[in-house]
Amino acid sequence: MTEQREQWGSKIGFILAAAGSAIGLGNIWKFPYIVGQNGGAAFIIIYLICTAVIGLPVLIGEILIGRTTQRNPVGAFKQLSKTKFWAAVGSMGILAGFIILSYYAVVAGWALGYIFEAFTGNFFDFSEPTQAGDHFGLLTGNVYWIIGFFALFMILTMGVVFAGVQKGIERGSKVLMPILFLLLIILMIRGITLPGSEVGISFILKPDWSVVNAQTVLLALGQAFFTLSMGMGAMLTYGSYMSKKDSIPSSALQITVLDTSIALIAGIAIFTSVFATGLDPNAGPGLIFHTLPVVFTKMPGGFIFSIFFFILLTIAAITSAISLLEVITAYFVDERKWRRHKAVIIFGTIVFLIGIPSALSFNLMSDFHLFNLNFFDFMDFIASNILLPLGGLLMSIFIGYIWGMDKVLKELKFGAEKLFDRYPLLVKFWQVFIKYFAPVFIFLVLLQSTGILDTLISIFE
Ligand code: PFF
């Protein structure tokens, strides 16, 4: 290849773009609804532990594989290991990219559609809080509405990936992410100051451990992976555009802290409002669309605010969606020598087709179930709770045992010389986490939640 590979314009460019990938519907839409479905505080605590002890160490490793090889997930593993098995691990990431983007873009379509709802002032006609939920049900029940906005969102995403790494992805993230942060803080303050918000606060602060089981831990682990965009090569691909002058550990830490804070802020905003208005925390994927319209009607300037909010939510979704499409595109451009534009159009269209049954799960196909889940939830379960943790497990095994620790450390040290000199203990900790802790923990959680561990234990009893 003669064409020079693109690079991020600056270190902050990488952090913002990676944070743009991490921060998205996972924080603002998914985190609140799975916290609501899984009993609140206890789930949040397990999620925070998963993020700190599994998420951050594996994220460092994933970015490192990308930066070292400057390749897409398949090419990266091929270059470092030369065996088919590890190339297949990379392919699993590409597959996860297809699956996640296919239903993610459906939800992003709702956010896009809600920009128009906000503009028409529809929310302000509701006299009862529950009417917002009914309205959401009506919209998502309409096949044309749901497919139309889903298609529009895919076209927007494809447009940005078309423009290439620096121009499209980096420039947008720099301006828009800070504004989104600010709006969420305002929403959180509104939530906290609503009369009756204390019940929501105690829901997210007082853990009820009786609701926790192996499945809860798997969901929390899956959420940690999903929200950090890791386990499938998105961060690996973004890391491949990173310079060796920049520190991976410090970038990964900043991304993790930013991403986690946004989820927590969104969680506080939603649950204070849910309980203050007497809504149901267990509403599922529609939760924020049931809740936020009610909050907007209760705040000064709510009309303008609601428009801004849904615009920014859509943009946050785009900065995540482009990282998913970028993984697929980078693979076909690097490995199969496709032209970028061709790859984007063809795979964008395929993702759209795969996503149609997910969009129909809210209307025509609502009675169709696989393993007790509708198609949408099934796709999410397979990707977030199986493929991503499995990808993370394999990446940590690869780093801990296959790549060679001396080579790993040599690469990690580029840009992080200060950390290596001043805090060698932290580097040691990372080695222990990536080599022993992460693989064992993820393995046990996967085993336990699929029931295999129970069966094994009963055999030995
Ligand atoms: N991290 C994104 C979010 O929280 O919305 C979702 C996501 C993007 C997951 C990219 C995986 C990925 F590769």
Side-chain angles (χ1 to χ4, degrees):
M1 242 188 353
T2 46
E3 206 181 309
Q4 169 135 36
R5 195 176 171 81
E6 280 188 273
Q7 277 206 347
W8 303 110
S10 56
K11 174 174 180 211
I12 190 77
F14 167 74
I15 292 184
L16 283 173
S21 165
I23 298 162
L25 297 171
N27 311 59
I28 300 165
W29 156 76
K30 194 172 179 195
F31 179 69
Y33 101 71
I34 53 173
V35 169
Q37 282 179 330
N38 290 282
F43 181 88
I44 300 183
I45 294 171
I46 302 172
Y47 153 78
L48 289 175
I49 295 174
C50 290
T51 303
V53 302
I54 311 289
L56 180 60
V58 180
L59 179 61
I60 293 176
E62 179 171 340
I63 300 175
L64 183 67
I65 299 178
R67 187 182 68 175
T68 305
T69 55
Q70 311 224 330
R71 294 286 200 86
N72 63 85
V74 177
F77 280 110
K78 265 195 202 154
Q79 179 175 326
L80 292 174
S81 84
K82 315 253 179 316
T83 64
K84 285 228 165 66
F85 174 80
W86 290 103
V89 173
S91 315
M92 196 174 83
I94 316 278
L95 175 71
F98 275 104
I99 299 183
I100 297 180
L101 186 54
S102 76
Y103 67 85
Y104 194 84
V106 172
V107 181
W110 303 346
L112 189 57
Y114 264 67
I115 300 177
F116 295 91
E117 296 302 305
F119 258 116
T120 50
N122 272 348
F123 309 147
F124 294 86
D125 298 335
F126 304 149
S127 50
E128 294 287 319
T130 49
Q131 277 176 297
D134 298 340
H135 188 69
F136 175 77
L138 268 181
L139 291 174
T140 49
N142 179 337
V143 177
Y144 298 108
W145 187 87
I146 205 166
I147 300 263
F149 281 111
F150 167 35
L152 192 59
F153 180 82
M154 277 310 299
I155 293 171
L156 287 174
T157 304
M158 285 155 70
V160 183
V161 178
F162 232 87
V165 172
Q166 229 187 68
K167 271 187 267 141
I169 304 178
E170 191 170 344
R171 213 183 274 163
S173 306
K174 262 189 197 159
V175 195
L176 298 164
M177 287 298 121
I179 307 182
L180 180 68
F181 200 79
L182 198 73
L183 283 201
L184 278 172
I185 293 192
I186 300 176
L187 269 181
M188 176 179 78
I189 295 172
R190 171 68 283 202
I192 296 176
T193 51
L194 284 172
S197 64
E198 321 77 60
V199 194
I201 304 260
S202 80
F203 180 74
I204 43 187
L205 287 184
K206 288 213 184 103
D208 171 5
W209 296 106
S210 67
V211 294
V212 172
N213 56 31
Q215 192 75 7
T216 325
V217 182
L218 178 70
L219 293 178
L221 181 70
Q223 173 63 10
F225 273 87
F226 184 85
T227 188
L228 286 172
S229 304
M230 39 183 281
M232 53 152 288
M235 287 297 182
L236 185 158
T237 306
Y238 272 20
S240 75
Y241 304 115
M242 191 181 179
S243 140
K244 290 206 173 174
K245 291 203 262 336
D246 298 331
S247 161
I248 295 181
S250 102
S251 307
L253 179 68
Q254 291 179 57
I255 295 163
T256 308
V257 169
L258 263 178
D259 182 71
T260 311
S261 342
I262 300 245
L264 294 175
I265 293 171
I268 299 173
I270 297 295
F271 288 111
T272 46
S273 310
V274 162
F275 286 94
T277 47
L279 293 173
D280 178 12
N282 193 7
L287 182 66
I288 67 162
F289 298 91
H290 290 209
T291 314
L292 290 177
V294 183
V295 184
F296 294 134
T297 57
K298 289 185 191 297
M299 59 199 284
F303 174 67
I304 297 289
F305 199 90
S306 62
I307 297 174
F308 264 114
F309 179 81
F310 285 111
I311 292 179
L312 286 167
L313 183 61
T314 305
I315 292 168
I318 292 185
T319 56
S320 302
I322 52 186
S323 69
L324 288 158
L325 190 54
E326 179 61 29
V327 173
I328 304 170
T329 309
Y331 165 69
F332 281 90
V333 171
D334 290 353
E335 300 300 306
R336 306 275 171 116
K337 307 284 175 258
W338 282 40
R339 285 199 4 258
R340 188 174 186 87
H341 289 183
K342 178 175 148 193
V344 171
I345 293 177
I346 294 192
F347 294 109
T349 311
I350 294 180
V351 166
F352 174 71
L353 296 176
I354 305 176
I356 289 177
S358 290
L360 298 184
S361 299
F362 296 87
N363 37 68
L364 298 182
M365 282 174 58
S366 56
D367 292 332
F368 177 81
H369 285 90
L370 288 163
F371 300 99
N372 264 337
L373 298 170
N374 68 27
F375 192 82
F376 175 96
D377 291 330
F378 178 75
M379 293 297 254
D380 182 32
F381 186 82
I382 294 290
S384 310
N385 302 320
I386 307 288
L387 291 180
L388 297 187
L390 192 60
L393 169 70
L394 292 166
M395 281 187 211
S396 50
I397 292 178
F398 182 79
I399 294 170
Y401 302 91
I402 311 284
W403 190 353
M405 205 32 97
D406 44 336
K407 286 188 220 140
V408 170
L409 293 178
K410 181 174 148 248
E411 287 292 337
L412 186 64
K413 196 170 175 186
F414 290 123
E417 292 81 4
K418 269 199 212 133
L419 177 83
F420 274 68
D421 290 346
R422 288 196 202 149
Y423 306 102
L425 201 61
L426 281 183
V427 180
K428 261 259 147 336
F429 266 136
W430 177 76
Q431 275 172 264
V432 172
F433 275 101
I434 202 94
K435 226 175 146 153
Y436 306 107
F437 207 79
V440 172
F441 184 88
I442 303 173
F443 184 67
L444 288 181
V445 173
L446 280 172
L447 220 56
Q448 168 71 18
S449 54
T450 45
I452 299 175
L453 197 61
D454 279 344
T455 321
L456 287 179
I457 291 172
S458 65
I459 293 174
F460 288 106
E461 260 170 8

